[in-house]
């Protein structure tokens, strides 16, 4: 059964409601079919064999926020409170309600939170209050940044005056902690949920403010670069919450931990440039003959540059996950064969460079996949599921030492326990072959 092994990345799949009101029932117009008994989903289109993927939880469009939280982000928060660093990687094509699932709607009615990140902050604040009442207080800090054009990092907590340009932050390599962001604001959280939710609301507004979609679905140019509702998300957002016991290390019990880190990554969807939308008929595709130059004229060079940067960073992340899945490599032949850890190209992208410790070492992981049910989104959904499958195969190691901070743990790119076992087994096989 998936999700029971310690070295398996959990995958949660959620389908967005239909955008087309005439197909709102989704009976025969959806390209996604759930097989709940088998815990699998089938991606289907006419006259083709369905592509089948395994998942740990399948959430229908009508699934509630609490059900989605318990299956995905809630497990990560529980891991962090138990002393294990954890990562939630959110993937999804445009208009699949991925960012809405994480942050919630701006015009949401008053009442209990209906999104994953607000529920996670409530969970953490409640745990903070209980720990303080039990005389075992915790300290928590939250920071958030956006990776823009794969070369600039912007702080999402610091408020800039209207019209002012956000200065990029400097990223440097620390020999002990890997890539760190200088000057990144870290706000301490307490038992007050209102304070934490206000911070999260500011992060969501600063991320999506200033960029309004100039093309909607179906409008001229909309096939070359998909607009996301009212605002266009042009970078990957990373939210980090660090949890640490307040007592000095000498005064802690054996069950205490040093530091645990919750990392939530809202990965921007790969853009479609220079081609018609998936599902377009062949005559219409030939008639439109979209090209990159035409996309630049329709959308502007700046928007095309943003789309290129998103595609490059998503491709780099896919390469890193594929390398992590291999873990080891055998080099040479015969008596010259040697076994070594496979190279993980974290430095190919600024995004993967910053996420190196969140994707390897002693870190638990969960992948949240949001899909668009419209048949025309088949190719976008397939690309998302293939990337999520690579994350599953990577099997981010969950056997890290409890109580170790990821920054002070195993160096990025080393999946330590499983990698060592694979290398030992491969070396014994080499020696047996030489003998």
């Amino acid at each position: 059964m998936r999700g029971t092994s310690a070295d398996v990345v959990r995958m949660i799949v959620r389908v967005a409601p239909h955008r087309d009101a005439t197909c709102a029932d989704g009976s025969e117009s959806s390209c996604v079919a759930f097989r709940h008994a088998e815990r699998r989903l089938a991606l289907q289109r006419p006259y083709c064999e369905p592509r089948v993927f395994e998942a740990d939880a399948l959430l229908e469009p009508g699934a509630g926020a609490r059900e989605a939280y318990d299956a995905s982000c809630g497990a990560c928060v529980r891991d962090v409170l138990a002393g294990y660093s954890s990562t939630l990687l959110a993937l999804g094509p445009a208009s699949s309600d991925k960012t809405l699932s994480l942050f919630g709607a701006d015009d949401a009615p008053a009442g209990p939170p209906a999104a994953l990140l607000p529920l996670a902050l409530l969970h953490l604040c409640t745990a903070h209050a209980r720990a303080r009442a039990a005389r075992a207080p915790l300290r928590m800090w939250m920071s958030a940044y956006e990776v823009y054009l794969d070369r600039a990092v912007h702080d999402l907590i610091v408020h800039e005056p209207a019209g002012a340009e956000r200065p990029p932050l400097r990223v440097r390599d620390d020999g002990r902690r890997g890539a760190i962001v200088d000057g990144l604001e870290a706000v301490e959280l307490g038992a007050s949920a209102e304070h934490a939710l206000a911070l999260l609301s500011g992060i969501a507004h600063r991320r999506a403010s200033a960029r309004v979609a100039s093309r909607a679905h179906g409008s001229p140019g909309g096939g070359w670069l998909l607009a996301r509702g009212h605002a266009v998300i042009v970078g990957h957002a990373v939210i980090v919450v660090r949890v640490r016991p307040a007592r000095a290390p000498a005064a802690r019990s054996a069950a205490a931990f040093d530091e645990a880190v919750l990392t939530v990554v809202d990965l921007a969807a790969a853009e479609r440039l220079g081609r018609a939308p998936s599902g377009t008929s062949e005559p219409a595709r030939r008639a439109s003959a979209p090209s990159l130059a035409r996309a630049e004229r329709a959308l502007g060079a700046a928007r095309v540059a943003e789309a290129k940067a998103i595609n490059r960073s998503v491709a780099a992340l896919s390469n890193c996950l594929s390398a992590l899945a291999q873990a080891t490599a055998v080099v040479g032949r015969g008596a010259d064969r040697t076994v070594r850890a496979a190279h993980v190209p974290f430095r190919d992208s600024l995004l993967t460079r910053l996420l190196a410790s969140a994707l390897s070492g002693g870190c638990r992981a969960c992948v949240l996949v949001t899909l668009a049910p419209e048949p025309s989104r088949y190719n976008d959904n397939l690309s998302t599921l293939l990337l999520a499958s690579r994350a599953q195969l990577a099997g981010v190691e969950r056997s890290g030492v409890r109580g170790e901070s990821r920054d002070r743990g195993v160096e990025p790119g080393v999946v330590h326990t499983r990698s060592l076992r694979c290398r030992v087994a491969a070396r014994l096989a080499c020696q047996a072959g030489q003998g």
Side-chain angles (χ1 to χ4, degrees), residues 115-133:
L116 302 183
L117 284 177
L119 287 171
L121 291 179
L122 283 178
H123 191 166
L124 289 169
C125 291
T126 302
H128 183 283
R130 290 176 179 172
R132 186 173 59 183

Side-chain angles (χ1 to χ4, degrees), residues 132-277:
R132 186 173 59 183
R135 298 182 180 275
L138 296 173
R139 298 192 67 185
M140 301 184 298
W141 295 267
M142 183 171 71
S143 55
Y145 59 87
E146 180 185 46
V147 181
Y148 178 65
L149 288 180
D150 205 38
R151 62 171 181 261
V153 175
H154 298 291
D155 198 325
L156 290 176
I157 287 183
V158 175
H159 175 70
E160 297 293 339
E165 184 142 350
R166 293 181 298 174
L169 302 178
R170 177 173 172 262
V171 179
R172 64 181 177 87
D173 287 317
D174 184 275
R176 191 178 180 188
R177 297 185 296 169
I180 59 175
V181 182
D182 280 339
L184 185 65
E185 187 77 14
V187 179
E188 185 164 5
L189 303 178
S192 172
E194 290 78 9
H195 176 230
L197 294 177
L199 279 175
L200 186 64
S201 177
I203 291 170
H205 280 87
R206 273 185 285 279
R207 190 186 176 202
S209 61
R211 291 183 177 90
V212 178
S214 59
R215 297 287 192 271
H217 288 293
S219 62
W224 303 306
L225 190 145
L226 292 178
R228 295 160 168 79
H230 298 292
V232 176
I233 306 303
V234 295
H236 311 289
V238 181
I239 297 176
V240 180
V241 179
R242 295 181 179 270
V243 179
R244 184 183 303 169
R247 295 181 181 178
R252 296 178 198 162
S253 64
F257 57 92
D258 178 23
E259 183 182 79
V261 185
L262 172 65
T263 305
V264 180
V265 184
D266 183 8
L267 195 70
E271 300 285 6
R272 296 203 303 265
L273 288 173
R275 64 181 178 87

